C-alpha cells in the first residue's frame, strides 16, 4: 500500500495527458493528481495504473479509463459539499476522485464481491463516502434524495426513471446511454417535469445490469 514519488510523477504525466485531451476543470485535475489509482487495482497492474486505460477489477467488471472518469466528473460541475449519487462503485476510484473534490458521495454497487473488497480499501485509504451499500442502482437511493448530481458509471440501455425523480431542480444526471457503445449523456433538470438533454460522443462501459437479488 505504498504511494511513492515515482507514482506521483506518473500521475502528473497522466494529468498532462488529460489536459491535452481537453479536460479543463482544475478541481478534477487536482483530484486525479492526488488519488493513487494504482492502489485501486490488483498489484499485477501496478506498472500500468497511470496509463489512460480501463483494467479488469474482478467480477467481470472494470475500473473506468482515467479520461472517462475525468470527463464524467467534469460534466457534473462538482462544487464543495455537493450531494452526489454514484451508481456502480466498482473499484471505488471514481468515488475517491469525487470525495477528493469535496463532494458528499452516496454510492451503490450491485456486486457483493466488489462491495466487500472496495469497503476494505476505503477503510485502508481513509476514503469516506457518506453512504456505500450493495444494491440495485436502477432504483437510485430514495432514502437520501434529492441529489445535486447523479453519475452512472455503467452503460445503461435506458435512463432509469427513479434517477430522474431523485435529481434536484437544476441538478445534473450524467449517464452513458446505449447497449454496445454508449453516448455520454447529460440531463439537466429544468423543473418538475422538464429535462434538457446534451450528448457528448461515444464511450464504452460494462453494462448496467438489473438487480439479481
Ligand atoms: N466507477 C467504477 C466503474 C466500475 S464499472 C470505477 O471507477 O471503478 C461499473 C460498475 O457498475 C461495476 O462495478 C458493476 O458491477 C456496477 N453495476 C452494474 N449494474 C449496476 C446496478 N444496477 N446497480 C449498481 N451497480 C451496478
Amino acid at each position: 500500500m505504498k504511494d511513492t514519488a515515482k507514482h506521483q510523477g506518473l500521475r502528473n504525466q497522466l494529468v498532462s495527458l488529460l489536459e491535452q485531451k481537453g479536460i479543463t476543470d482544475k478541481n478534477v485535475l487536482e483530484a486525479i493528481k492526488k488519488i493513487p489509482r494504482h492502489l485501486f487495482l490488483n498489484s499485477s497492474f501496478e506498472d500500468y495504473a497511470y496509463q489512460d486505460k480501463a483494467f479488469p477489477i474482478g467480477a467481470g467488471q472494470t475500473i473506468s479509463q482515467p479520461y472517462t472518469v475525468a470527463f464524467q466528473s467534469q460534466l457534473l460541475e462538482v462544487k464543495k459539499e455537493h450531494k452526489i449519487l454514484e451508481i456502480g462503485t466498482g473499484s471505488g476510484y471514481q468515488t475517491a476522485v469525487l470525495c477528493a473534490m469535496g463532494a458528499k458521495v452516496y454510492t451503490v454497487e450491485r456486486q457483493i464481491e466488489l462491495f466487500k473488497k472496495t469497503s476494505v480499501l476505503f477503510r485502508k485509504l481513509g476514503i469516506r463516502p457518506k453512504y456505500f451499500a450493495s444494491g440495485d442502482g436502477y432504483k437510485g437511493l430514495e432514502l437520501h434524495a434529492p441529489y445535486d448530481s447523479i453519475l452512472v458509471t455503467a452503460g445503461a440501455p435506458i435512463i432509469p426513471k427513479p434517477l430522474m425523480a431523485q435529481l434536484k431542480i437544476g441538478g445534473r444526471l450524467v449517464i452513458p446511454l446505449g447497449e454496445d457503445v454508449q453516448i455520454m449523456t447529460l440531463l439537466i433538470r429544468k423543473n418538475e417535469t422538464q429535462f434538457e438533454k446534451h450528448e457528448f460522443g461515444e464511450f464504452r462501459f460494462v453494462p448496467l445490469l438489473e438487480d439479481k437479488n
Side-chain angles (χ1 to χ4, degrees):
M1 282 287 169
K2 269 201 219 142
D3 187 29
T4 63
K6 178 182 143 214
H7 294 121
Q8 184 61 65
L10 292 170
R11 278 205 290 285
N12 293 344
Q13 284 176 19
L14 174 63
V15 165
S16 304
L17 179 70
L18 296 175
E19 281 180 298
Q20 281 165 34
K21 289 189 172 183
I23 303 297
T24 52
D25 185 324
K26 292 280 174 250
N27 296 327
V28 171
L29 295 167
E30 277 307 309
I32 288 177
K33 226 177 246 183
K34 268 191 220 148
I35 303 297
R37 186 173 189 249
H38 63 285
L39 301 181
F40 292 78
L41 288 164
N42 185 299
S43 55
S44 57
F45 291 109
E46 183 174 342
D47 290 346
Y48 312 104
Y50 296 102
Q51 294 184 359
D52 190 18
K53 285 188 184 153
F55 292 106
I57 52 170
Q61 306 304 322
T62 55
I63 182 172
S64 298
Q65 186 185 339
Y67 175 71
T68 303
V69 171
F71 194 87
Q72 290 198 293
S73 302
Q74 179 163 286
L75 283 183
L76 294 174
E77 295 190 354
V78 180
K79 303 266 179 325
K80 276 211 164 56
E81 301 294 312
H82 261 185
K83 217 169 137 182
I84 301 181
L85 173 63
E86 179 192 23
I87 307 300
T89 321
S91 69
Y93 177 69
Q94 171 77 71
T95 315
V97 167
L98 295 175
C99 288
M101 293 175 75
K104 295 189 232 163
V105 186
Y106 298 73
T107 184
V108 179
E109 169 56 50
R110 173 177 168 275
Q111 300 265 5
I112 298 265
E113 183 191 331
L114 282 178
F115 166 69
K116 287 188 183 152
K117 194 168 145 189
T118 299
S119 299
V120 171
L121 184 70
F122 283 163
R123 226 166 298 134
K124 276 191 189 152
L125 299 182
I127 292 160
R128 293 188 187 81
K130 284 276 166 195
Y131 177 98
F132 180 27
S134 119
D136 180 14
Y138 268 93
K139 301 190 187 95
L141 184 62
E142 178 67 43
L143 187 63
H144 296 286
Y147 302 95
D148 293 293
S149 54
I150 301 180
L151 171 62
V152 180
T153 71
I158 50 142
I159 304 175
K161 288 264 151 45
L163 299 188
M164 293 170 76
Q166 291 171 22
L167 201 57
K168 285 186 190 172
I169 308 284
R172 302 162 82 83
L173 168 61
V174 173
I175 181 165
L177 272 181
E179 308 266 351
D180 298 331
V181 172
Q182 292 80 36
I183 304 293
M184 188 63 76
T185 306
L186 165 68
L187 289 189
I188 302 174
R189 186 166 199 174
K190 289 290 155 190
N191 52 45
E192 277 304 315
T193 54
Q194 286 172 308
F195 292 79
E196 192 179 275
K197 186 175 175 182
H198 303 263
E199 292 182 333
F200 297 91
E202 291 183 0
F203 288 78
R204 272 173 204 274
F205 287 80
V206 293
L208 185 70
L209 297 171
E210 297 279 358
D211 196 13
K212 54 182 175 185
N213 302 322

